[in-house]
Amino acid sequence: TKVPTQQVSAQFQQAIVQQFPNVSIIDLALVLQILNDLISKIGFVVRFMAGLSISTGIVVFIASVFMSKYQRIRETVLLRTLGASRKQIFAITALEYFFLGILAAITGILLGLAAGWVLAKYTFETAFHLQLLPIIILVLMVCLLTVGIGLINSRGIVKRSPLEVLRNEV
């Protein structure tokens, strides 16, 4: 049964025990509260680990973008030598990083969805529901972050003349 307060529950339990002494009464509210606390703690741990994984991935991503700066220098020098303007180089760089962001986001989302589906179906034995809005927001955020970091990283390269860059390289 469900009763509104603890006091009413205690009175109800006493009345049942007095009337039916061989009936055992188990207060499920306490059991449910303990289970709810346990599930909340497990959820916090899962969210924390997901946040830690995402943070680590962002740090690795930023490091890889900065490591590819030397390759970008050579490409930019070649494009500038061939007559490309700063706008064209920024557009090429932005498109390159946009596609890199799309590829990273789609790969990560597909792996996450596959893992979520496996957990839902085989571990928790529940139905898996796909929500498109968070996925679209995540793809856009990853693409914007990738393009932003890439353009910030490439900003100093475009400002220098090709001759100056080649002198520093040799």
Side-chain angles (χ1 to χ4, degrees):
T1 61
K2 183 172 174 126
V3 290
T5 64
Q6 285 286 3
Q7 185 179 7
V8 174
S9 174
Q11 291 171 353
F12 180 72
Q13 289 175 14
Q14 285 177 353
I16 293 292
V17 169
Q18 285 175 358
Q19 198 169 24
F20 304 103
N22 61 344
V23 173
S24 298
I25 296 178
I26 300 172
D27 189 7
L28 291 181
L30 183 62
V31 174
L32 290 175
Q33 182 181 3
I34 291 171
L35 283 176
N36 192 22
D37 290 344
L38 181 65
I39 289 173
S40 294
K41 289 177 184 175
I42 291 172
F44 172 75
V45 169
V46 168
R47 285 191 304 273
F48 177 77
M49 293 304 292
L52 185 65
S53 297
I54 289 171
S55 300
T56 305
I58 289 173
V59 168
V60 168
F61 174 71
I62 290 171
S64 69
V65 168
F66 283 123
M67 291 301 294
S68 69
K69 184 174 186 174
Y70 299 108
Q71 182 182 1
R72 305 276 177 255
I73 290 173
R74 291 184 181 176
E75 290 174 359
T76 303
V77 167
L78 179 62
L79 289 170
R80 296 278 310 268
T81 304
L82 292 173
S85 67
R86 288 182 185 179
K87 271 187 178 179
Q88 288 173 326
I89 292 174
F90 269 129
I92 291 169
T93 304
L95 277 173
E96 182 178 349
Y97 282 114
F98 175 76
F99 288 122
L100 180 66
I102 288 255
L103 183 63
I106 289 175
T107 303
I109 287 171
L110 288 177
L111 288 173
L113 288 175
W117 176 79
V118 167
L119 282 173
K121 182 163 177 91
Y122 296 110
T123 301
F124 299 117
E125 296 177 357
T126 62
F128 181 75
H129 300 286
L130 183 67
Q131 296 180 356
L132 288 179
L133 185 62
I135 292 173
I136 292 169
I137 291 172
L138 187 61
V139 168
L140 291 175
M141 285 177 49
V142 168
C143 287
L144 289 175
L145 182 68
T146 306
V147 170
I149 291 170
L151 289 179
I152 288 171
N153 189 37
S154 301
R155 181 184 46 168
I157 299 170
V158 177
K159 289 184 177 179
R160 299 184 338 198
S161 71
L163 185 59
E164 178 186 344
V165 172
L166 289 175
R167 283 185 188 154
N168 290 336
E169 287 287 315
V170 177

